[in-house]
Amino acid sequence: MRIIETQILSLDQKDSLMQLWNNEYPAKLNLKTIEDFELYLNGLSETKHYLLFDDADEIQGWTFTFLRENENWFAIILNSEIHGKGIGSLLMNEIKKNNTSLNGWVIDQENEIKHNATFYKSPLQFYIKNDFIICSEIRIENEKLSAVKINWKR
């Protein structure tokens, strides 16, 4: 596995990342077209992407950082087939090197369904293991997402 940092994604990378997004996130968050994906990305500022490639040069994971309301935010997605092997922590450590604080939203319940009709497993314990604190008083609740804010500080 190798990690590549970039600020600009190729169309092939966007396509792979959108597939990863749609396979791993709850179905309510699925993006229907590459234009939807680009619209999401274009709404972010000061974005840095970290792509995780396997030996066959396929993208197996992606984390990215961005600026929102003067705070550093991030998101991370891993192919569920490589969960539990320390690879997510490897990606987290990569973005921690370049930041003193990170914020994110994490789905904290296990009732969401993925595109393949399996349950989405909340990554909350993963973030706790990686030194994030849960800001339980700060939540996002809408028709697509029910999540709690998490924060890490160096």
Side-chain angles (χ1 to χ4, degrees), residues 1 3 21 33 49 58 66 77-78 82-83 89 103 105 115 120-121 131-132 134 136 150 153:
M1 298 274 181
I3 299 170
W21 175 296
T33 66
H49 303 277
E58 299 288 325
F66 56 96
I77 307 172
L78 276 186
I82 60 172
H83 285 185
S89 295
N103 296 285
W105 293 115
H115 183 69
Y120 174 81
K121 184 175 178 341
D131 302 319
F132 281 80
I134 299 155
S136 53
I150 56 173
K153 284 183 176 43

Side-chain angles (χ1 to χ4, degrees), residues 72-84:
N72 294 316
W73 285 75
F74 82 100
I76 184 171
I77 307 172
L78 276 186
N79 181 329
S80 55
E81 292 177 16
I82 60 172
H83 285 185

Side-chain angles (χ1 to χ4, degrees), residues 18-25 30 80 114-116:
M18 190 178 92
Q19 287 178 38
L20 183 65
W21 175 296
N22 287 341
N23 288 341
E24 300 303 335
Y25 276 161
N30 278 188
S80 55
K114 292 179 12 176
H115 183 69
N116 66 2

Side-chain angles (χ1 to χ4, degrees), residues 24 83 107 109-110 112 114 119-125:
E24 300 303 335
H83 285 185
I107 296 170
Q109 62 272 342
E110 309 257 335
E112 295 292 338
K114 292 179 12 176
F119 281 99
Y120 174 81
K121 184 175 178 341
S122 170
L124 194 59
Q125 291 306 313

Side-chain angles (χ1 to χ4, degrees), residues 1 3 11-12 17 19 22 28 56 60 64 79 86 101 108 133:
M1 298 274 181
I3 299 170
L11 191 55
D12 283 346
L17 294 172
Q19 287 178 38
N22 287 341
K28 286 194 260 181
Q60 297 298 318
F64 57 100
N79 181 329
S101 176
D108 56 347
I133 60 162

